C-alpha cells in the first residue's frame, strides 16, 4: 500500500516553487524506493491560498509554478484571496507544514506564528525559514516535545548540504568548536575581491546581478544571517546562544587595500562564523586565514564548516543555498518524517 504525506506550504517563492518541482520530478523514485506519495494540499503566499483537499495533480503543481509572485490567489477553482492557516488545516488535514516564508529577524513573523500554530495542532513542521528557530528555538522544540510532533530544519543552515544531520548524528563526540563560512553572498563578494581585486561595491553589484545577493544585502554583509545560523547550530550542539549575544563584524565597504595586505602576507580574508563550546562565545568575524587553511579555499557561493571534536576534525564543504539545493533538503526532511512511521497508509 502506498503511504501518503499531505503537505501544506507557506511561502511560494524560490524555495517553495523549487520544492514543488522536485516533488514532481522525484514522484517515481519515491514511489519505487519508499512506496510514498507526497501530496501538496495547499500553497500559501503573502496574498492568498490555493488548496485542494485531495492534493494537486502534477499538472496543477506545474501550473502553480507558472503564476507570478503573489499569484496563488488566481489559481481558480482552488483559490482564496486571503490567508487563514486554521481554515487551511481544517480543509486539508495535513501531516506536515513546510514553512518557507522570508526569514524576518525583527519579529520572526509570519514564520513563528505559523510554526507554533502548526505544532499546537499536532502537525509536523519542516523549515527553511531560519527566523522562528533563531529567535524561539526552545519554545518551538518544547512545544513539539509536548505535542509529540517532529520539527525538522536541515535547510536552515548550509541549505544544500547535510550539516545539521551530521552534527545531530555525532552523539558520542564532544564537539569543541564549530566554525566556517555560512553565508554564500559574503563569500562570493570576498572571493571576487581576492581573485579580481575588484572593490567591495563592484563585487556586490556583480553578486546582485547574478541573483547571489539580495537587493538589500544588509542581513548578509552585516553578518546577521550567519549569526542566525550560528544560533541554530548552537542549539543543535547543545550550547545555546541567543542572537543578540553573537558578536558581529560587517564586511560592508571593506577597502581593497585590506585584501591586498592580506594577500601580501599569504592570507585570505573570510567572513567566519564561530561557536566555541568551551566558553559559549559566538561570533561572526572578518578573519585573515592562511592560504593553506582549508576554509580559505572555500570559494564563491560555497559554504564550508569545520567541526573540532575530542576525536578529531571534520570539514564539510558544499552548497549553502540555492532554490533547488534547499528544496532537496526540505524534501529529505519531509521524507524522514514520513519514514518515521507517523504517517498512516491511506
Ligand atoms: N533561497 C535559498 O537558497 C534559501 C536557502 C536556505 C534557506 N532559505 C530560507 O527559505 C525561506 C524562503 O526563501 P525563498 O528564497 O524562497 O524566499 P522568496 O523567494 O522571497 O519567497 C518567499 C515567499 O514567502 C511568501 N510570503 C511572504 N510573506 C508571507 C506571509 N505573511 N504569508 C505567507 N507567505 C508569505 C512570499 O509571498 P509573495 O510571493 O506573495 O511575495 C513568497 O512566496 C527564507 O526564510 C529563506 O531565508 C532560502
Amino acid at each position: 500500500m502506498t503511504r501518503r504525506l499531505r503537505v501544506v506550504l507557506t511561502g511560494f517563492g524560490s524555495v517553495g516553487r523549487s520544492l514543488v518541482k522536485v516533488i514532481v520530478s522525484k514522484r517515481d523514485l519515491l514511489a519505487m524506493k519508499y512506496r510514498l506519495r507526497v501530496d501538496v494540499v495547499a500553497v500559501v503566499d503573502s496574498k492568498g491560498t490555493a488548496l485542494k483537499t485531495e492534493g494537486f495533480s502534477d499538472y496543477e503543481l506545474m501550473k502553480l509554478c507558472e503564476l507570478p509572485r503573489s499569484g496563488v490567489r488566481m489559481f481558480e477553482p482552488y483559490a482564496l484571496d486571503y490567508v487563514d492557516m486554521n481554515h487551511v488545516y481544517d480543509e486539508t488535514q495535513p501531516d506536515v507544514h513546510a514553512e518557507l516564508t522570508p526569514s524576518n529577524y525583527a519579529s520572526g513573523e509570519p514564520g513563528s506564528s505559523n510554526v507554533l500554530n502548526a505544532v499546537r495542532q499536532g502537525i509536523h513542521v519542516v523549515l527553511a525559514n531560519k527566523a522562528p528557530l533563531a529567535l524561539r528555538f526552545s519554545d518551538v522544540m518544547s512545544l513539539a516535545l509536548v505535542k509529540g510532533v517532529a520539527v525538522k530544519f536541515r535547510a536552515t543552515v548550509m541549505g544544500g548540504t547535510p550539516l545539521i544531520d551530521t552534527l545531530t548524528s555525532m552523539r558520542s563526540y564532544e564537539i569543541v568548536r564549530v566554525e566556517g563560512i555560512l553565508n554564500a553572498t559574503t563569500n562570493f563578494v570576498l572571493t571576487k575581491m581576492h581573485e579580481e581585486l575588484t572593490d567591495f561595491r563592484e563585487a556586490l553589484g556583480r553578486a546582485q546581478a547574478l541573483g547571489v545577493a539580495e537587493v538589500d544585502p544588509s542581513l548578509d554583509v552585516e553578518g546577521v544571517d550567519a549569526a542566525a545560523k550560528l544560533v541554530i547550530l548552537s542549539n543543535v550542539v547543545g550550547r545555546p546562544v541567543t542572537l543578540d549575544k553573537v558578536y558581529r563584524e560587517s564586511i560592508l565597504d571593506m577597502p581593497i587595500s585590506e585584501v591586498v595586505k592580506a594577500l601580501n602576507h599569504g592570507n585570505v580574508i573570510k567572513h567566519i562564523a564561530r561557536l566555541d563550546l568551551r566558553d559559549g562565545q559566538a561570533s561572526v568575524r572578518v578573519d585573515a586565514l592562511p592560504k593553506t587553511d582549508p576554509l580559505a579555499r572555500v570559494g564563491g557561493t560555497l559554504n564550508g564548516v569545520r567541526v573540532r571534536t575530542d576525536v578529531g576534525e571534520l570539514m564539510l564543504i558544499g552548497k549553502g543555498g540555492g532554490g533547488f539545493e534547499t528544496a532537496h533538503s526540505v524534501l529529505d526532511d519531509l521524507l524522514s518524517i514520513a519514514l518515521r512511521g507517523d504517517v498512516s497508509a491511506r
Side-chain angles (χ1 to χ4, degrees):
M1 186 180 291
T2 300
R3 277 184 290 185
R4 297 180 71 192
L5 187 76
R6 302 163 63 80
V7 182
V8 162
L9 266 62
T10 47
F12 199 51
S14 168
V15 177
R17 286 164 198 243
S18 299
L19 176 62
V20 158
K21 290 176 191 164
V22 171
I23 288 172
V24 170
S25 74
K26 298 286 164 101
R27 185 76 76 209
D28 292 344
L29 179 83
L30 300 187
M32 194 179 67
K33 239 174 142 177
Y34 307 115
R35 290 173 165 260
L36 177 72
R37 181 179 166 84
V38 178
D39 276 321
V40 177
V41 292
V43 170
V44 179
D45 65 21
S46 71
K47 298 286 192 304
T49 307
L51 66 83
K52 186 177 181 187
T53 307
E54 61 270 38
F56 292 107
S57 69
D58 287 353
Y59 177 76
E60 288 165 338
L61 290 174
M62 297 318 285
K63 282 290 170 198
L64 270 164
C65 291
E66 288 173 13
L67 293 169
R69 290 287 292 241
S70 304
V72 302
R73 63 192 156 154
M74 295 185 262
F75 198 63
E76 296 298 352
Y78 305 110
L80 303 171
D81 61 359
Y82 57 88
V83 175
D84 176 348
M85 291 314 297
N86 289 332
H87 175 69
V88 169
Y89 296 154
D90 286 348
E91 289 291 313
T92 61
Q93 301 294 313
D95 299 299
V96 190
H97 176 133
E99 170 47 45
L100 316 173
T101 66
S103 296
N104 169 358
Y105 302 113
S107 69
E109 298 303 340
S112 294
S113 296
N114 281 344
V115 169
L116 290 165
N117 186 29
V119 171
R120 222 171 269 126
Q121 303 202 30
I123 299 165
H124 303 295
V125 173
V126 171
L127 300 100
N129 179 356
K130 292 149 264 182
L133 298 181
L135 300 175
R136 304 193 59 179
F137 195 96
S138 66
D139 292 342
V140 171
M141 293 305 171
S142 347
L143 188 60
L145 197 63
V146 170
K147 292 290 179 180
V149 302
V151 175
K152 308 281 285 180
F153 50 95
R154 192 175 111 183
T156 57
V157 187
M158 259 178 119
T161 308
L163 171 66
I164 287 177
D165 286 357
T166 304
L167 288 173
T168 310
S169 71
M170 297 169 75
R171 294 185 181 83
S172 69
Y173 290 68
E174 184 196 346
I175 295 173
V176 177
R177 181 184 272 190
V178 181
E179 63 185 348
I181 295 157
L182 294 178
N183 184 275
T185 303
T186 54
N187 204 38
F188 179 90
V189 168
L190 289 173
T191 304
K192 280 275 166 259
M193 290 177 76
H194 285 73
E195 284 178 355
E196 297 170 24
L197 296 183
T198 50
D199 71 15
F200 176 85
R201 291 282 160 179
E202 199 183 327
L204 179 62
R206 201 91 64 81
Q208 286 168 321
L210 291 168
V212 172
E214 306 274 341
V215 180
D216 175 4
S218 47
L219 289 177
D220 296 321
V221 297
E222 286 167 15
V224 179
D225 175 77
K229 290 168 176 167
L230 217 43
V231 170
I232 295 173
L233 292 181
S234 75
N235 281 279
V236 170
V237 298
R239 191 77 150 89
V241 294
T242 54
L243 195 50
D244 58 320
K245 290 285 186 297
V246 182
Y247 171 79
R248 283 189 287 114
E249 291 174 354
S250 169
I251 65 157
L252 182 66
D253 286 330
M254 194 176 73
I256 192 67
S257 55
E258 281 194 32
V259 171
V260 173
K261 196 170 122 199
L263 287 171
N264 286 340
H265 286 87
N267 292 331
V268 174
I269 294 179
K270 291 287 185 190
H271 213 194
I272 299 291
R274 185 173 290 119
L275 174 72
D276 199 319
L277 281 93
R278 286 162 303 192
D279 58 12
Q281 296 296 309
S283 60
V284 181
R285 289 177 198 273
V286 181
D287 270 0
L289 304 180
K291 277 182 189 163
T292 49
D293 186 319
L295 285 175
R297 292 192 231 126
V298 176
T301 56
L302 284 179
N303 282 190
V305 168
R306 171 163 49 218
V307 183
R308 293 204 164 131
T309 78
D310 56 342
V311 181
E313 247 179 48
L314 74 88
M315 279 277 305
L316 218 57
I317 297 171
K319 277 287 197 179
F324 275 98
E325 291 84 353
T326 307
H328 274 91
S329 280
V330 173
L331 180 58
D332 272 355
D333 277 349
L334 291 173
L335 298 182
S336 79
I337 289 172
L339 302 174
R340 268 164 44 131
D342 289 349
V343 182
S344 54
R346 296 169 200 245

